[in-house]
Amino acid sequence: MRAWPASGGRRRASAAKQRAELLALQQGIRYRRIFVTLLGVIVAVSAVVVLLGTIGLLNETRSRPLTPAEQNQYKQEEIARRWQAWPMTGVFPDEVKYFGFDRAQQYARRVGIAPETECAKGVDAPVADVLRSHGCVTMLRATYMDQTASFVFTVGVAVLKDEAARVSAGEELTQDDRVGVLPVAFPGTVSERFGPDQRQRTSWVGAGPYLVFSTGGYADGRTRASIPPEEILHPELWPAGKSLGNQIAYFLADPPKVPPCTQGNVC
């Protein structure tokens, strides 16, 4: 029997090895094409997502006209922060216009501003209970004298957490005109004898998130108990006191000018 030459076996082995290497190379090329295709798809999708996000962000942040709801929200937020944003001399101006007897226009002058205090410490107990239950934030008070220095008035601003809380609190407040804000007296001034017993009447008015209380009395220290019932409704004292409280409330809740666009005056 004749033996096959060894060289023939080596050639076949070499050819088989080359075919295996070629198949492996072709398979690697196919895998690489699939990987590159998938990578391209991922990059393209990511680019589209980024592009859409950028477009959305630009649409969201670009200046545009304010909607009616946004305008109303702007007003409410501006009014609600005034008690903090304004100096106390802004909340309680040096002079406040009021209407006295026969609606004669006069000016009350500020005597002093009391330190900020807890709501319950600036009013009588029945009022304090209502304010506390509705989340009153703080109490601001100042005392004024009328143009003739005959009367003194204390105005108190109770800051509620929002307008809804103020409305709810107002619905529960007593109508008793003997209770309300506690007077603040400043020694050495026309108001030094003005205390709880000297209050002739009290009242309040709601404005934004604020309840503005006012009370008035005589500068000479006369108590309510010493005044005949027919004189308690003094024709000058009480219109002046009520008008003063209304003016302070108007200052605090006067609607601000609203910018027409989300980024100012240019849309």
Side-chain angles (χ1 to χ4, degrees):
M1 181 179 359
R2 187 176 63 179
W4 293 97
S7 60
R10 286 196 296 272
R11 286 197 298 270
R12 286 194 296 273
S14 176
K17 182 178 180 181
Q18 289 178 355
R19 287 195 298 271
E21 291 176 350
L22 180 60
L23 289 173
L25 179 61
Q26 291 174 343
Q27 188 176 34
I29 291 173
R30 286 197 300 271
Y31 288 157
R32 182 176 181 278
R33 286 174 178 172
I34 293 172
F35 173 77
V36 171
T37 301
L38 288 175
L39 182 62
V41 171
I42 293 172
V43 170
V45 171
S46 300
V48 170
V49 170
V50 171
L51 179 60
L52 293 176
T54 301
I55 293 174
L57 180 63
L58 290 175
N59 287 334
E60 183 66 26
T61 58
R62 69 181 177 85
S63 186
R64 57 173 176 77
L66 289 172
T67 65
E70 289 171 332
Q71 292 177 3
N72 185 58
Q73 181 180 358
Y74 179 93
K75 292 178 183 178
Q76 291 183 346
E77 291 177 351
E78 169 65 22
I79 291 171
R81 70 185 186 91
R82 283 177 175 169
W83 73 274
Q84 288 179 306
W86 288 1
M88 281 297 96
T89 53
V91 177
F92 301 114
D94 292 338
E95 289 189 341
V96 178
K97 179 176 65 176
Y98 70 92
F99 295 98
F101 187 57
D102 283 341
R103 294 193 59 79
Q105 181 175 305
Q106 300 183 60
Y107 289 88
R109 289 194 60 82
R110 192 185 67 229
V111 177
I113 299 175
E116 182 180 334
T117 188
E118 297 176 15
C119 297
K121 293 182 179 180
V123 294
D124 294 290
V127 179
D129 292 340
V130 174
L131 295 182
R132 189 185 297 110
S133 67
H134 289 278
C136 185
V137 177
T138 192
M139 172 69 73
L140 314 175
R141 290 180 296 170
T143 295
Y144 287 81
M145 66 178 180
D146 77 317
Q147 190 163 300
T148 66
S150 300
F151 312 129
V152 285
F153 309 96
T154 291
V155 178
V157 177
V159 182
L160 279 298
K161 59 184 180 180
D162 52 40
E163 187 169 352
R166 186 270 296 170
V167 172
S168 297
E171 291 173 349
E172 295 183 23
L173 284 176
T174 176
Q175 299 301 313
D176 187 349
D177 69 1
R178 295 170 296 177
V179 298
V181 64
L182 295 175
V184 180
F186 293 87
T189 71
V190 69
S191 70
E192 63 183 351
R193 287 181 285 182
F194 188 38
D197 291 337
Q198 283 70 38
R199 293 178 297 179
Q200 299 301 311
R201 293 186 69 187
T202 65
S203 70
W204 61 270
V205 63
Y210 310 108
L211 283 169
V212 181
F213 296 86
S214 58
T215 187
Y218 293 96
D220 61 12
R222 278 179 281 176
T223 65
R224 174 167 171 146
S226 69
I227 305 297
E230 63 271 15
E231 292 185 21
I232 289 179
L233 301 179
H234 194 287
E236 291 184 65
L237 187 153
W238 191 236
K242 196 168 185 179
S243 178
L244 183 60
N246 289 344
Q247 285 293 318
I248 298 295
Y250 172 79
F251 296 152
L252 284 169
D254 185 29
K257 183 178 180 181
V258 181
C261 307
T262 55
Q263 296 183 11
N265 294 324
V266 180
C267 296

